[in-house]
Amino acid sequence: MSATTPRDPYEVLGVPRDAAEQDVKKAFRRLARELHPDVNAHDPDAEEKFKEAAEAYEILSDPERRATYDRYGHEGLRSGGYAPNFDGFGSIGDLFNAFFGSGGSFGGSSGSALGGDIAVAVEMTLVEASKGSEVEVSFEAIDHCEHCHGNGAEPGTPIERCSRCNGAGQIQSVVRTPFGQMMRTGLCDACHGDGRLPSVPCEECGGRGQKTVKRSEQVSVPAGIDDGQRIRVSGRGHAGERGAAPGDLYLLVRVRPDERFFREGDDLITALDVSAPLASLGVTLEVPTLDGPAAVDVPSGTQPGDLLMVRGQGMPSLRSGRRGDLRVVVNVVVPRRLTDEQRELLGRLNEMLTDDNLRSEESVFSKLRRMLRHQAA
Ligand SMILES: [Zn+2]
Ligand SMILES: [Zn+2]
């Protein structure tokens, strides 16, 4: 949704232009529930769509704004100084809580917050990716404070009932919403929902019970990992608040391109230059593999684009561990910049060639298809 080209609010809410106020409200509530992040975690646009729906609702639920929109469109609303009033909300979760109440089915978490996830990128070569490796990653993470064991109190000092919320952990406040003023129940900002507060805050963490630490983690990267894949290490992210579950650690694997190989699934593809005379005569040549050079037989009469397979020299499958193949695409190199002697020899050879030497069993169509397939690869 762009601020410069807002959609028609009737269209956004899916109501006719003469819809009654209750129908507008009903349509918005239905949409808001559908777009709730808990329900709709898979849709990255849910938050934007929800805001769009809320803005549409703000216009259509206010008779004056609705009349202005009906006559002048969005332009009329803008010149009237109208702006959506979502500024009081810290997050989409707050916005939902304001509509549905934090204790309800769409209330989100009213207790301690789960720990956040951490993402770390690691880079490796294709050879390392083929063998798998143990990598050590270092990152900053929120951890429990060891000094106070996470309870936020200086050791030996008592923890008392929070005076701000009277031990409830929650306080009620009045918030402005597109529905008008509403009571909202939120976490107590003094004790953050715990209901208790240390009388003397921990000197190490200032009473938060958490602190940022430098952490190292050993992660095993399985053989066959591909560029852009993520490895999840459960529970190794940021610590949660007051015993809530920690987040996860995600390792984003970057596999550096290897100029010798092109990867296609578990197969590797490489190109092999073979001179035209050798392609005709047949020869054994060396090709690079992940385990070092290997010999490959180029049979007599090999044509440009022919495929030679080196079995088991691809990448290991992440699932089965079975290795793919190395596909060697033959690039027949036709000699250039000939000397007089070479030119004479080739001329004589050409005169001696018969139809039988040059005839191919392959159709033109099949040949073209083969060449184009390799080109695409
Ligand atoms: Zn502490
Ligand atoms: Zn409190």
Side-chain angles (χ1 to χ4, degrees):
M1 176 188 58
S2 155
T4 51
T5 54
R7 280 171 65 205
D8 176 39
Y10 292 101
E11 191 188 311
V12 172
L13 295 183
V15 293
R17 298 193 83 81
D18 58 356
E21 211 181 313
Q22 301 101 291
D23 296 331
V24 170
K25 190 166 181 167
K26 233 185 271 171
F28 172 63
R29 279 190 163 262
R30 196 200 60 240
L31 210 56
R33 286 204 160 87
E34 277 171 19
L35 293 170
H36 190 280
D38 287 355
V39 181
N40 226 313
H42 60 277
D43 184 354
D45 297 331
E47 179 170 340
E48 281 303 309
K49 285 181 189 160
F50 178 80
K51 279 190 192 158
E52 186 182 40
E55 281 174 13
Y57 178 73
E58 269 213 311
I59 295 167
L60 298 189
S61 62
D62 181 321
E64 207 174 304
R65 279 186 192 145
R66 184 171 172 176
T68 306
Y69 177 80
D70 287 343
R71 280 190 79 174
Y72 306 108
H74 284 290
E75 204 48 53
L77 292 169
R78 250 200 303 281
S79 56
Y82 159 75
N85 64 355
F86 299 127
D87 301 346
F89 298 97
S91 70
I92 200 71
D94 287 351
L95 201 50
F96 279 111
N97 289 345
F99 286 122
F100 300 114
S102 66
S105 54
F106 294 91
S109 159
S110 60
S112 300
L114 302 178
D117 294 334
I118 296 175
V120 186
V122 288
E123 217 187 53
M124 57 182 58
T125 64
L126 188 67
V127 173
E128 285 167 340
S130 75
K131 301 196 181 333
S133 62
E134 292 282 319
V135 294
E136 184 162 318
V137 289
S138 299
F139 49 91
E140 294 209 318
I142 295 170
D143 210 343
H144 292 295
C145 173
E146 289 155 13
H147 188 61
C148 62
H149 301 285
N151 68 17
E154 186 62 19
T157 66
I159 296 175
E160 292 160 351
R161 195 165 73 169
C162 173
S163 56
R164 181 152 164 72
C165 63
N166 242 332
Q170 296 188 333
I171 44 172
Q172 294 206 319
S173 55
V174 177
V175 289
R176 273 182 73 219
T177 77
F179 287 127
Q181 292 203 331
M182 289 183 85
M183 286 299 284
R184 181 162 71 114
T185 304
L187 284 187
C188 170
D189 54 2
C191 64
H192 303 286
D194 200 32
R196 304 181 316 153
L197 271 178
S199 53
V200 182
C202 166
E203 280 176 11
E204 287 284 310
C205 63
R208 284 171 55 237
Q210 299 180 322
K211 58 180 186 175
T212 304
V213 294
K214 195 110 178 112
R215 207 195 289 159
S216 289
E217 199 73 46
Q218 191 88 8
V219 182
S220 44
V221 177
I225 194 95
D226 205 348
D227 181 55
Q229 286 184 311
R230 297 193 308 173
I231 298 168
R232 176 163 158 258
V233 188
S234 180
R236 299 307 291 162
H238 295 301
E241 273 178 23
R242 288 172 202 79
D248 298 328
L249 171 66
Y250 284 96
L251 208 67
L252 173 65
V253 178
R254 303 255 69 139
V255 179
R256 274 196 294 275
D258 188 312
E259 60 183 17
R260 301 168 299 170
F261 305 110
F262 181 87
R263 182 172 179 174
E264 202 175 87
D266 295 332
D267 282 356
L268 293 175
I269 302 167
T270 193
L272 178 66
D273 283 349
V274 183
S275 75
L278 285 180
S280 184
L281 293 167
V283 66
T284 299
L285 291 175
E286 224 172 51
V287 287
T289 74
L290 291 172
D291 303 331
V296 62
D297 284 327
V298 181
S300 166
T302 292
Q303 300 296 314
D306 273 0
L307 204 54
L308 308 171
M309 297 296 271
V310 185
R311 301 280 172 204
Q313 283 295 339
M315 295 293 283
S317 158
L318 268 183
R319 264 164 296 162
S320 66
R322 205 184 62 83
R323 282 182 72 173
D325 301 320
L326 174 64
R327 296 186 236 156
V328 180
V329 181
V330 173
N331 180 42
V332 172
V333 182
V334 176
R336 281 170 291 217
R337 296 179 288 276
L338 302 174
T339 65
D340 289 345
E341 193 184 0
Q342 290 167 331
R343 184 177 296 276
E344 192 198 320
L345 276 170
L346 277 177
R348 275 174 55 201
L349 172 64
N350 188 48
E351 279 163 20
M352 292 163 69
L353 290 175
T354 65
D355 280 352
D356 188 46
N357 293 130
L358 301 173
R359 196 185 61 236
S360 157
E361 290 81 27
E362 218 178 356
S363 72
V364 171
F365 178 72
S366 160
K367 256 185 271 190
L368 281 174
R369 199 173 49 179
R370 183 165 54 85
M371 300 298 286
L372 290 172
R373 192 176 62 229
H374 293 318
Q375 235 164 47

